[in-house]
Amino acid sequence: MMLNEMLDKDLVEITDKEPQDWKEALKVAAGKLVEHGYIKEAYTDEIIKNVEDNGPYIVIVPGVAMPHANAKSDNVLGTAIGFTKFNKSVSFGPDSSAKLFFTLAARDPNEHLKNIGELSDMLMTDGLIDKLMNVESIDGLKELIGSDK
């Protein structure tokens, strides 16, 4: 499962941080990708600008956001997906909020589409979103996905 890969690469954060707004939440959600050299901080600014320009399209289903920007960005250094879970929902506006953030970084459009497809398939696993909403720690996530890491 993709979540195992995210854990292996240290790209998972389950946090009790309470961002002041969705922009701060996106910066937190991109933090592990920045830390491990998959993206530059400027990529987060591109994501924020996309949401400002296009609305909260990154909230793909209630409670789940898939932050990303242009697949050809010079601010993407490698391909990866980071997962951040906030304990409280982050509002993107009326009827649009998320607790689960899957931040995408891809070096080219094909990798970007592949990541979106695999992530979408994973999230369609019956009950997975609800279970992820209730995870409170990395150990809880490992237990949920049956990881021995």
Side-chain angles (χ1 to χ4, degrees):
M1 181 181 273
M2 291 180 83
L3 288 166
N4 274 322
E5 191 176 322
M6 293 176 211
L7 279 168
D8 289 346
K9 294 179 178 179
D10 186 34
L11 297 176
V12 174
E13 183 172 9
I14 297 171
T15 182
D16 56 6
K17 292 177 186 168
E18 293 184 27
Q20 293 185 351
D21 58 23
W22 62 266
K23 293 176 188 179
E24 185 182 333
L26 291 176
K27 290 177 181 178
V28 171
K32 288 281 189 177
L33 293 173
V34 172
E35 177 185 333
H36 292 291
Y38 288 101
I39 61 173
K40 298 177 184 175
E41 284 189 33
Y43 184 69
T44 308
D45 297 330
E46 292 175 21
I47 296 170
I48 290 169
K49 179 155 180 21
N50 278 352
V51 174
E52 288 174 339
D53 291 348
N54 303 304
Y57 73 98
I58 63 171
V59 180
I60 55 170
V61 295
V64 181
M66 192 186 296
H68 61 278
N70 191 324
K72 292 185 178 184
S73 172
D74 291 336
N75 294 309
V76 176
L77 307 172
T79 298
I81 301 174
F83 171 56
T84 302
K85 190 248 178 189
F86 293 97
N87 288 330
K88 294 191 175 173
S89 287
V90 175
S91 176
F92 284 82
D95 304 319
S96 187
S97 64
K99 287 172 78 170
L100 308 178
F101 287 66
F102 292 92
T103 306
L104 305 178
R107 290 291 305 144
D108 69 58
N110 290 334
E111 289 177 351
H112 184 67
L113 291 174
K114 180 177 177 262
N115 282 347
I116 289 173
E118 289 179 6
L119 185 57
S120 297
D121 288 348
M122 181 190 78
L123 291 173
M124 285 193 280
T125 302
D126 195 39
L128 181 62
I129 290 173
D130 288 338
K131 290 174 184 171
L132 289 174
M133 291 281 190
N134 293 313
V135 166
E136 295 181 4
S137 66
I138 295 289
D139 286 339
L141 179 63
K142 289 176 181 177
E143 186 177 315
L144 169 66
I145 61 177
S147 173
D148 56 359
K149 304 204 176 5

